[in-house]
Amino acid sequence: MSKTSSTAWQCNYTNEIDGVKSATTLSQTILDILLSKNKLAYARVDDSLRVVETSCNFQAFFHRAEPLEGTLLPKLCEALIGSESVLREVMQGSLPEYLLEYVNDESGAEARFLTFHVWKNWGDEGGLFLLVEDVSPAARLEQRAVQARNELELLRRELDRANAELHRMALFDALTGLPNRRYLDEQLTRYVETARRTGTPFSLIMLDIDEFKAVNDLYGHLEGDDALRILASVLRTSIRNSDFVARYAGDEFCICLPMTESHQAHALAARIQRNLAEITRPANLRLTISLGIFSVSGQSPQAYTPQALLARADAALYRAKREGKNRICLEEAP
Amino acid sequence: MPPPSSEISLTTIQKKVCLLGEFAVGKTSLVRRFVEGRFDDRYLSTIGVKISRKSVELPHGRINLLLWDLAGSDEFNGQIRANYLRGAAGALIVCDLTRPETLTGFHRYVEQIQTVGLSIPVVFVGNKVDLTDLRAISDDQLQAAAQQFGGQAFLTSAKTGHNVEDIFYRLAVQLHQRD
């Protein structure tokens, strides 16, 4: 930088003895500008928290007509009401500074943001110094940034919710609320793999409503939908936590029973029949189901793919239909 | 004769009440509904603090509430929020009933109050109860969260005004009783 580039710099560089004085003059000039533009205001407060000395713009800064000397500091503006104990802490030196950032101020014609600093006056007079800055430009910039960030965050959460809903719709049947065929395929593969790895038995139940077409034809599709919902509810409440029930297609449902021998699967199938009868009896509704079970012992799960298991359970269901419906047929792997 | 509400005497009992909660839970809307009796659907993030006042008539006198609506964003955590909280006589901690994560933030705000050495009445609020289809926090979950801190929770809607007067009134009664 050239020593002769400006008068001010020339003054600082050429008069080293008066360097401090020059800096003080510059500081005073800048302070005068800040005060005249109401960018800041300051006051000195005595031990009783009364204003004893203020910057020349203090009244104008706070949009007040009356002189403010003698006013209690907490009564100067709303931000300081109730702050007596904090101000005392600062005065005692136990709190180095009381700083209130970005206080929204709507007392004047134009809304602004103020930052309050309160420091202990370490001089002989005691008391406190109050400095108030108008930080509106920086605050408005920050407000826009925070607004954008928050809106983005809300949108992201909205997107997460929508994705979760899409995921749910992709894997669950809208009518019954049960997992759908796609979800069943995924889960069945996992169950079969686990049974194969651990050498544990596995059972699969396929079931459907007897004469479901007649229900639809006789009572209408809305009644048919109700029948599906009733059955889904019975299935949901009849199985164990470790089991998995899904709507396979139309009125067909499928239940995966990990670590379950054939006789246990049969007992569950019978329980489902009983529970369904109990639920439908009060409504005088005759709703029966046929069930086909295919069970694989712990010794032979490796011989069956998910598709093969489904085919064998379906064959058992078909046999139950053929033998008169409203019954349970069991097939066991050798 | 009591002074008109627009010229509240400085000798009236004045109490600072802070509103805390995650961003966009409706703190500013609750204050606006309570103080101005209106609602604005647009979301405008609060930065720093907005101070409003409203006088509440109680059976045994009047109390002037200074409502400190604090920014919910993370930028205003730590020492900044600690300074806002200093001198508070009561607090409302607000969650958005459609956003479960705003309920789990309750403990953070209780801790912030405790950190500045305050032992003050706190009312817990589940806002946006009008958005029934989007509701993600049940009554039981809200009450359980409030009871964890020995408080009571209330359902509000800044949009419809449901329970808004009530929560501020309840807090005002507690503040008056402690005086």
Side-chain angles (χ1 to χ4, degrees), chain A residues 25 27 36 46 48 89 165 219 230 238 256 274 308 311 325:
Chain A
T25 304
S27 304
S36 68
D46 67 13
S48 60
E89 280 183 61
E165 179 62 13
Y219 302 107
I230 290 168
S238 300
C256 300
R274 279 198 308 276
K325 300 172 186 161

Side-chain angles (χ1 to χ4, degrees), chain A residues 302-314:
Chain A
Q302 64 276 12
Y304 296 93
T305 62
Q307 290 73 25
L309 286 167
L310 282 168
R312 295 293 296 268
D314 199 30

Side-chain angles (χ1 to χ4, degrees), chain A residues 78 101 104 143 147 157, chain B residues 43 45 49 53 83-84 101:
Chain A
E78 283 176 332
E101 287 188 75
N104 293 237
Q143 201 280 330
Q147 175 87 15
R157 288 176 188 177
Chain B
Y43 168 57
S45 306
V49 57
R53 65 165 74 194
N83 279 350
Y84 292 147
E101 77 278 5

Side-chain angles (χ1 to χ4, degrees), chain B residues 26-41:
Chain B
K27 300 181 291 296
T28 305
S29 293
L30 285 169
V31 173
R32 190 180 290 137
R33 168 62 72 185
F34 179 56
V35 176
E36 301 172 28
R38 65 185 182 92
F39 175 77
D40 191 338
D41 234 337

Side-chain angles (χ1 to χ4, degrees), chain A residues 75 78-79 81-82 86 89 95 98-104 113 139 142-143 146-147 149-151 153-154 157 161, chain B residues 10 14 16 23-24 43-45 47-51 53 66 68 73-76 80 83-84 86-87 98-99 101:
Chain A
K75 291 179 181 175
E78 283 176 332
I81 293 175
V86 189
E89 280 183 61
L95 193 67
Y98 182 41
L99 171 65
L100 283 177
E101 287 188 75
Y102 292 167
V103 177
N104 293 237
F113 291 89
E142 185 158 348
Q143 201 280 330
V146 168
Q147 175 87 15
R149 208 268 324 273
N150 288 355
E151 283 180 358
E153 182 63 20
L154 290 173
R157 288 176 188 177
R161 253 204 299 265
Chain B
L10 285 170
Q14 303 203 79
K16 173 175 169 180
F23 71 89
Y43 168 57
L44 188 68
S45 306
I47 65 160
V49 57
K50 262 183 201 160
I51 304 167
R53 65 165 74 194
L66 281 164
W68 283 50
S73 304
D74 289 341
E75 287 84 353
F76 300 93
I80 297 176
N83 279 350
Y84 292 147
R86 287 176 199 280
T98 71
R99 288 161 54 205
E101 77 278 5

Side-chain angles (χ1 to χ4, degrees), chain B residues 86-98:
Chain B
R86 287 176 199 280
L92 290 162
I93 300 182
V94 187
C95 75
D96 174 351
L97 292 169
T98 71

